[in-house]
């Protein structure tokens, strides 16, 4: 495996970047299997409490994540995408490390869902320390289940993010 050079993660609100990301997402599994076309995917970027982080490798979009930073599941990784040609090269792990640091600045809990058929992603998340907490039957599409996973460093009540403690 050839090492990847110059990996940079940047937050964005650029709708042109969202367009590129949604097109990549809709042309890749698990979104193809779930029947999520471009219009479904572009809607994933909309909402008041979402943060989008894009991973650039050699100045090209290699992946991205969409985080939700408020509500009951504050710290939810709504979407984690790695370009299909770059999977298995450590980009997913780098995105997870980034997301973990960002989320732990506001919450002790990190949540993510994965389709039951997406075995490689489930393997990555479990290796990263996520624990299965439940199955969401027919969550996105009839006939397909999602596994809800959680990684935690403690309960919400009393949580003080590192660097914010007195």
């Amino acid at each position: 495996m050839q090492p990847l050079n110059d990996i940079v993660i940047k937050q964005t609100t650029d709708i042109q970047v969202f367009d590129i990301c949604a097109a990549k997402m809709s042309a890749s599994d698990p979104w193809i299997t779930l029947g999520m076309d471009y219009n479904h995917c572009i809607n994933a970027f909309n909402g008041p409490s979402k943060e989008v982080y894009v991973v650039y490798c050699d100045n090209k979009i290699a992946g991205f994540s969409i985080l939700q930073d408020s509500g009951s599941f504050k710290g939810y990784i709504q979407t984690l995408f790695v370009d299909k040609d770059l999977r298995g090269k450590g980009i997913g792990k780098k995105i997870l490390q980034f997301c973990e640091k960002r989320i732990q600045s506001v919450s002790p809990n990190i949540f993510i869902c994965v389709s039951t058929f997406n075995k490689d992603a489930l393997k990555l998340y479990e290796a990263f320390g996520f624990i299965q907490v439940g199955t969401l039957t027919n969550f996105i599409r009839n006939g397909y289940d999602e596994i809800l996973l959680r990684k935690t460093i403690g309960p919400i009540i009393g949580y003080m993010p590192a660097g914010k403690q007195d």
Side-chain angles (χ1 to χ4, degrees), residues 119-140:
K119 303 293 185 200
D120 289 339
L122 179 58
K123 184 177 170 184
L124 170 67
Y125 302 152
E126 288 178 334
F128 195 74
F130 281 93
I131 305 292
Q132 293 186 29
V133 295
T135 300
L136 306 171
T137 305
N138 299 321
F139 185 66
I140 295 174

Side-chain angles (χ1 to χ4, degrees), residues 77-94:
I77 302 172
Q78 172 194 297
T79 306
L80 191 149
F81 173 87
V82 175
D83 189 285
K84 60 186 171 189
D85 295 332
L86 297 173
R87 291 179 186 168
K89 297 186 181 214
I91 293 173
K93 184 177 179 184
K94 286 193 181 298

Side-chain angles (χ1 to χ4, degrees), residues 19 34 39 57 121 123 158:
D19 180 63
L34 293 170
N39 291 324
C57 181
K123 184 177 170 184

Side-chain angles (χ1 to χ4, degrees), residues 29-31 87 114-123 125:
D29 259 327
W31 298 276
R87 291 179 186 168
V114 61
S115 299
T116 54
F117 64 84
N118 195 350
K119 303 293 185 200
D120 289 339
L122 179 58
K123 184 177 170 184
Y125 302 152

Side-chain angles (χ1 to χ4, degrees), residues 102-120:
R102 170 63 190 106
I103 290 168
Q104 287 178 346
S105 74
V106 297
S107 175
N109 297 296
I110 306 167
F111 297 95
I112 194 165
C113 282
V114 61
S115 299
T116 54
F117 64 84
N118 195 350
K119 303 293 185 200
D120 289 339

Side-chain angles (χ1 to χ4, degrees), residues 54-69:
V54 178
V55 180
Y56 294 92
C57 181
D58 298 326
N59 294 317
K60 295 179 185 158
I61 295 175
F64 61 92
S65 65
I66 303 172
L67 306 181
Q68 293 185 12
D69 64 358

Side-chain angles (χ1 to χ4, degrees), residues 30-48:
W31 298 276
I32 291 171
T33 298
L34 293 170
M36 296 180 70
D37 62 13
Y38 170 82
N39 291 324
H40 286 103
C41 292
I42 196 69
N43 284 333
F45 295 85
N46 298 327

